[in-house]
Amino acid sequence: MTDSIIKLTAAQIAAKIASGELTAVQVTEAHLARIEAVDEKVHAFLHVDREGALAQARAVDEKKARGEKLGPLAGVPLALKDIFTTVGIPTTVGSKILEGWIPPYDATLTKRLKDADVVILGKTNMDEFAMGSSTENSAYGPTGNPWDLTRIPGGSGGGSSASLASYQAPLAIGTDTGGSIRQPAAVTGTVGVKPTYGAVSRYGMVAFSSSLDQGGPCARTVLDAALLHEVIAGHDPLDSTSIDAPVPPVVEAARNGSVAGMRVGVVKQFRGEGYQAGVVQRFDESVALLKELGAEIVELDCPSFDLALAAYYLIAPSECSSNLARFDGLRYGLRTGDDGTNSAEAVTSLTREAGFGPEVKRRIMLGTYALSSGYYDAYYGSAQKVRTLITRDFEKSFEKVDVIVSPTTPTTAFPIGERADDPMAMYLADLCTIPTNLAGNAAMSLPCGLAPEDGLPVGLQIIAPALKDDRLYKVGAAVEAAFVEKWGHPLLEEAPSL
């Protein structure tokens, strides 16, 4: 029975719990059994909250027994990226500097999940402080890609994407600073959405780069992602960057997918040198499919996109150097060298040396330099000007088209260790995703086939204007349905079993 439960979509699970065909406890136990069976190989989870998850599931069943109305995802299990604070269970952000830290409060997103009766299974592995594209920067070891455990599951949210692709959870939460929801989705054959900046509260989400960070839904289908999006989105007075606007009708869009009459843009800067042949082939086939489904294809030229990577790697490290200053060994988390012989400054220095990993140190140093006196205007100031140019290119493009499509990543999943000693090669994994974060638009990645040369998943990225997140789901659902009709089953079912 476990196998039949874990292969269900979140929407199917919710419907079966509501009808009484399954109990929330049965569903939770099935997924906990799956975690116990395969996660030693995958390493998607940093912490599994078995007792907490079963308690949440029992509460859902009791609520149903009392005749109370259940929400659209009541009783559905979820894997939560270990960057959101959670009362009673650790939040480490993939770092030794917060090893074992138990937060005294829930993030707004965590609270909304609990209020919606979603069952939180545990916390997933990630690149330390969300800095990376492979989950190799986790202080607790890398996560494997369920398609090929010797390859990366993307980053920084590789634990969340791997939990979906290995059927350990039907839903997951990620965060996206430069592509950390979409890139993992692409290389694991799953669906990941970066909502409009400010659409999902950042209160209780440990900050990396405050003007770029955005939480969002991860799932195996477009509808499941929409149902989760609707639960977590909405204005939060505790977050000063939260948008006070209605949540777009994302579930309705996912249930009524269509591209007929839509104008779909293809940006010429999102292809060329460095793009894997199989990725380009599958993208071109997706564009042809969109045209076949009734969309008008429009060629776009966005010259500033070529500068996005450089601008991002000045803005994000600059904000990270400011945000991570709070980890000083004096207030919470790791403390090293406090033996009575060292000054407070020395304790802070020793703690950071022991607690931060190489990539975090690299970005802190780069950001501190970019913000330093004499260099601020030349580096950080110039990067912000480029950010404005990128935003203007998007604005001009969205005057001509309804959505933009591109490959999500230039390549399929690369082997673990292949780019570990080459930061620039690693950074190129986010080439297609970064412009959206700089502009604050909404974007989605969904599977569009397997690359012929290696048989690994390829992601199609859909980008929509700010606050038009429903367009992602409308187009994504249409593409997904067309793929299912052509091949008879979701692409993810081709993933090798563990």
Side-chain angles (χ1 to χ4, degrees), residues 176 194-202 205 209-215 239-243 319 387 436-443 465-467 469:
D176 197 306
K194 185 205 88 68
T196 297
Y197 177 78
V200 174
S201 174
R202 293 190 303 112
M205 186 177 96
S209 179
S210 300
S211 74
L212 300 165
D213 298 341
Q214 184 58 66
D239 176 5
S240 62
T241 61
S242 177
I243 298 171
E319 294 183 4
R387 185 178 197 168
T436 304
N437 294 85
L438 290 168
N441 298 327
L467 296 176
D469 303 48

Side-chain angles (χ1 to χ4, degrees), residues 455-477:
L456 294 172
V458 176
L460 172 69
Q461 179 175 224
I462 306 165
I463 305 170
L467 296 176
K468 301 295 182 184
D469 303 48
D470 51 314
R471 292 185 190 176
L472 302 176
Y473 293 96
K474 188 177 181 184
V475 176

Side-chain angles (χ1 to χ4, degrees), residues 96-133:
K96 290 291 184 183
I97 209 162
L98 281 179
E99 187 172 16
W101 180 60
I102 310 291
Y105 69 102
D106 277 332
T108 295
L109 181 142
T110 306
K111 187 175 184 304
R112 286 181 175 170
L113 290 170
K114 290 178 177 178
D115 289 346
D117 295 317
V118 173
V119 175
I120 300 173
L121 295 169
K123 309 295 283 293
T124 57
N125 197 17
M126 57 181 286
D127 285 302
E128 185 180 7
F129 282 95
M131 297 179 198
S133 303

Side-chain angles (χ1 to χ4, degrees), residues 186-457:
V187 299
T188 59
T190 57
V191 178
V193 179
K194 185 205 88 68
T196 297
Y197 177 78
V200 174
S201 174
R202 293 190 303 112
Y203 179 76
M205 186 177 96
V206 181
F208 159 22
S209 179
S210 300
S211 74
L212 300 165
D213 298 341
Q214 184 58 66
C218 310
R220 290 195 291 262
T221 71
V222 171
L223 175 59
D224 284 359
L227 289 165
L228 183 55
H229 187 139
E230 198 167 70
V231 165
I232 62 175
H235 179 60
D236 179 17
L238 298 175
D239 176 5
S240 62
T241 61
S242 177
I243 298 171
D244 190 1
V247 178
V250 293
V251 173
E252 181 187 335
R255 293 190 190 278
N256 299 285
S258 172
V259 297
M262 293 185 76
R263 297 163 301 162
V264 175
V266 176
V267 179
K268 76 174 188 179
Q269 281 76 14
F270 284 148
R271 63 191 305 141
E273 187 180 348
Y275 285 76
Q276 186 176 321
V279 170
V280 173
Q281 179 183 334
R282 292 294 176 247
F283 173 67
D284 288 343
E285 289 170 359
S286 299
V287 172
L289 177 63
L290 285 164
K291 191 171 182 180
E292 186 182 312
L293 292 172
E296 177 190 348
I297 307 301
V298 180
E299 295 287 334
L300 299 171
D301 184 13
C302 300
S304 65
F305 286 12
D306 287 336
L307 305 172
L309 197 67
Y312 174 87
Y313 279 103
L314 284 167
I315 293 169
S318 296
E319 294 183 4
C320 123
S321 74
S322 175
N323 278 322
L324 270 60
R326 72 194 67 177
F327 300 99
D328 55 12
L330 303 178
R331 287 169 285 190
Y332 44 76
L334 181 71
R335 181 180 297 174
T336 302
D338 186 16
D339 57 4
T341 65
N342 291 306
S343 65
E345 290 83 358
V347 169
T348 294
S349 180
L350 289 167
T351 298
R352 289 172 174 168
E353 171 60 30
F356 288 143
E359 182 62 24
V360 172
K361 290 174 182 173
R362 181 184 293 120
R363 297 200 195 191
I364 289 172
M365 288 189 289
L366 178 61
T368 303
Y369 180 80
L371 292 175
S372 62
S373 178
Y375 296 101
Y376 179 95
D377 288 335
Y379 293 108
Y380 184 74
S382 296
Q384 292 288 19
K385 290 174 183 175
V386 169
R387 185 178 197 168
T388 300
L389 294 176
I390 290 167
T391 302
R392 287 175 181 169
D393 271 356
F394 270 120
E395 288 170 350
K396 290 176 186 173
S397 296
F398 286 126
E399 290 173 1
K400 303 173 186 174
V401 299
D402 300 300
V403 296
I404 295 169
V405 295
S406 77
T408 308
T409 60
T411 69
T412 55
F414 49 87
I416 293 172
E418 182 181 81
R419 303 184 187 182
D421 298 322
D422 188 349
M424 282 306 298
M426 187 73 77
Y427 297 165
L428 289 171
D430 299 330
L431 199 61
C432 301
T433 52
I434 279 173
T436 304
N437 294 85
L438 290 168
N441 298 327
M444 167 190 286
S445 178
L446 74 158
C448 66
L450 306 176
E453 59 266 60
D454 55 25
L456 294 172

